Amino acid sequence: MLINFTFKNYRSFYDEQTLSLLASHDKVMEENIATVSTDLVPGNIGVLRSITLFGDNESGKTNLLKTLNFMKKMVFLSSSMNTVMFNEPFALLEYSSLLDTHLEVEIIQNGSFYKYGFVINDNKITKEWLFKRTERLTPIFKRNGDELQITSLSRNEASLLSPSKSVLFLSIADKLNLSIKNSILDVKEFFQNLEFICEPKREYLNLYLENEDRIRTANTILKNIDMGFSDLKLIKMGSYIDAELSQDVYNETGDIIKKRKLRLFQDQELLGRGIVHLCCILPVLLKALDTGGTILINDLGSALSVNLAGFLQNFFSDNRINKKGSQMLATSSLSMLMDESLRRDQIYLVSKDNQGKSSLHRLSDRKNVRKSDVYSKKYLKGEYTKQLAASTK
């Protein structure tokens, strides 16, 4: 479960920003909040099950998701390839490439609270840290330049394990059979269960095969939302995979006379983007519910109706199906989704100034935003945009 994500100097974000999923004190739609022990996060009200980022095209919404996805790539790939070379510091300010790129997450995984992050400068990992909260926040390991400190190891012993400046210690630490191994595996499990959905992918269909309940659930959803398609079945021959859907064919009096069979990818021009998008997203969401994962969905609503996008936006709000703290972070340019069962603290606005710097603003932090407002109406009238412009001067 993601609690906070803090970052700076990556892609269009130059100044430090924090995306927080800690709930505010609003007493509305409390089903959108997951309860979290105050021993793990002192003083918290709860953690949001989903947030949606709104903003103009090119404002930086997608860049935020890509920043978190870059952290995942670093965690799993830095030990086998020079992933640090793909760091993208802010490009529109002179010398920003010589400044620190800072990435940090605060998470709850397997009942423990962790703070993990690292700093990249000049294509080198200059700092890295992992803390765990027991009675207080204590270090698991800290890395500063060439110096590595590890709980329960002497400085000399830890120095023998220090990786190269292109490799995260987290990437290799679980293979060293240290006493901190379980904490390392917890953090890696969080990133393993983080999935960035940018467009429908055929390989997502393989997730239906991992658990037969997923395809049954998907068929129930297709039936309830009534898009005209049913009987989702997988077609797998060797490495080839597709899905088959049924569509009713009627006679002149409106009676169903037969079923037309269509393949999701083979016949996608006949099906339309919406149903292809939905059938590919559903197994990813259902897996997240199984694992307690975090889903990043880019451009929610671009291929779906408002009602269907709103359904996905609120997919994780049901306690009966979301029992493991799964979350969804989405971006959208469709302002009407602001009014689809979202609290003020679930709405983030992303804007870009005249120097090309993106910034992040939570609607619940804005002045004169009432719980009773029609958020999309005020957003389209530019009232929130004016506030953002004034706050950045």
Side-chain angles (χ1 to χ4, degrees):
M1 177 180 286
L2 180 64
I3 308 300
N4 290 309
F5 175 42
T6 302
F7 53 98
K8 72 174 181 179
N9 195 28
Y10 187 80
R11 294 183 70 87
S12 61
F13 291 94
Y14 175 72
D15 297 311
E16 183 172 288
Q17 309 286 322
T18 295
L19 178 76
S20 179
L21 280 88
L22 288 171
S24 68
H25 290 270
D26 280 2
K27 298 295 184 182
V28 296
M29 291 178 274
E30 294 183 329
E31 67 275 11
N32 294 2
I33 302 173
T35 302
V36 171
S37 168
T38 53
D39 291 335
L40 296 177
V41 186
N44 82 90
I45 304 299
V47 178
L48 297 169
R49 300 178 186 274
S50 68
I51 61 101
T52 306
L53 301 138
F54 296 91
D56 296 334
N57 290 335
E58 306 300 322
S59 61
K61 303 185 302 295
T62 302
N63 284 341
L64 189 149
L65 300 188
K66 287 183 175 180
T67 305
L68 190 49
N69 195 50
F70 175 65
M71 278 197 83
K72 175 178 178 175
K73 290 179 178 179
M74 284 291 297
V75 166
F76 290 106
L77 299 178
S78 70
S79 61
S80 58
M81 61 184 294
N82 197 6
T83 322
V84 73
M85 292 291 292
F86 298 109
N87 181 40
E88 299 179 71
F90 184 73
L92 301 182
L93 191 66
E94 193 174 13
Y95 304 127
S96 62
S97 61
L98 302 178
L99 301 177
D100 289 347
T101 292
H102 174 110
L103 304 170
E104 180 184 78
V105 292
E106 294 177 75
I107 63 172
I108 293 174
Q109 189 68 28
N110 296 326
S112 295
F113 176 93
Y114 297 100
K115 178 184 285 191
Y116 171 71
F118 55 86
V119 170
I120 299 173
N121 187 294
D122 193 25
N123 291 326
K124 297 179 181 65
I125 298 164
T126 58
K127 294 181 181 179
E128 187 182 3
W129 57 92
L130 174 61
F131 287 77
K132 180 179 181 180
R133 176 169 285 129
T134 48
E135 293 183 359
R136 58 188 178 86
L137 206 57
T138 55
I140 301 296
F141 72 81
K142 292 192 292 184
R143 176 183 179 186
N144 191 352
D146 295 324
E147 183 180 2
L148 178 65
Q149 299 176 31
I150 304 173
T151 299
S152 77
L153 291 186
S154 70
R155 183 166 296 183
N156 287 337
E157 289 172 322
S159 67
L160 298 174
L161 303 176
S162 185
S164 74
K165 293 181 179 180
S166 64
V167 177
L168 291 174
F169 181 65
L170 187 78
S171 298
I172 62 170
D174 57 311
K175 300 177 177 63
L176 300 175
N177 199 29
L178 301 172
S179 61
I180 63 172
K181 182 177 180 178
N182 287 340
S183 295
I184 299 296
L185 289 174
D186 280 350
V187 178
K188 294 185 79 169
E189 183 179 0
F190 166 80
F191 283 106
Q192 184 66 55
N193 293 329
L194 179 78
E195 185 67 42
F196 179 35
I197 303 174
C198 196
E199 58 185 18
K201 293 181 181 179
R202 188 188 293 266
E203 56 262 36
Y204 288 153
L205 298 178
N206 285 301
L207 299 177
Y208 284 122
L209 299 174
E210 294 181 358
N211 186 332
E212 61 184 19
D213 287 339
R214 290 176 191 164
I215 201 157
R216 285 199 292 266
T217 303
N219 272 307
T220 300
I221 291 170
L222 287 174
K223 180 180 179 180
N224 290 338
I225 62 178
D226 193 20
M227 292 182 71
F229 298 96
S230 60
D231 302 325
L232 177 68
K233 298 177 182 177
L234 289 189
I235 307 296
K236 189 169 177 64
M237 295 176 288
S239 61
Y240 173 82
I241 189 167
D242 206 337
E244 183 181 83
L245 289 165
S246 296
Q247 187 178 36
D248 294 335
V249 178
Y250 301 85
N251 62 17
E252 292 180 355
T253 61
D255 299 318
I256 298 172
I257 56 172
K258 63 179 181 179
K259 297 278 189 180
R260 182 169 75 148
K261 305 293 184 181
L262 296 168
R263 299 280 180 89
L264 199 64
F265 283 91
Q266 178 180 299
D267 303 316
Q268 59 181 302
E269 291 184 3
L270 298 174
L271 288 165
R273 291 178 63 208
I275 189 66
V276 175
H277 204 76
L278 179 65
C279 290
C280 288
I281 285 179
L282 280 176
V284 185
L285 301 186
L286 294 172
K287 180 180 180 179
L289 292 174
D290 292 339
T291 63
T294 302
I295 303 300
L296 314 178
I297 299 184
N298 189 48
D299 210 6
L300 181 66
S302 64
L304 305 171
S305 68
V306 174
N307 287 340
L308 189 51
F311 166 79
L312 293 180
Q313 186 173 250
N314 299 300
F315 193 74
F316 295 98
S317 297
D318 191 334
N319 274 322
R320 295 168 297 178
I321 62 172
N322 186 2
K323 300 175 182 179
K324 297 185 178 180
S326 305
Q327 295 169 299
M328 184 178 80
L329 283 59
T331 70
S332 183
S333 299
L334 198 60
S335 60
M336 286 181 287
L337 286 178
M338 290 182 175
D339 308 319
E340 291 289 324
S341 301
L342 287 182
R343 296 158 46 98
R344 293 181 298 177
D345 52 9
Q346 290 179 279
I347 298 173
Y348 273 89
L349 305 179
V350 183
S351 62
K352 186 178 284 187
D353 67 15
N354 56 12
Q355 293 183 333
K357 298 177 185 175
S358 295
S359 56
L360 186 63
H361 309 268
R362 201 179 199 181
L363 196 60
S364 57
D365 295 334
R366 301 291 94 200
K367 295 180 179 178
N368 301 320
V369 179
R370 297 179 177 86
K371 290 181 282 187
S372 58
D373 286 349
V374 179
Y375 304 131
S376 62
K377 185 176 180 180
K378 287 200 168 187
Y379 176 73
L380 290 174
K381 288 173 66 176
E383 293 188 27
Y384 301 147
T385 309
K386 291 173 186 175
Q387 289 186 27
L388 297 183
S391 68
T392 57
K393 285 183 180 179

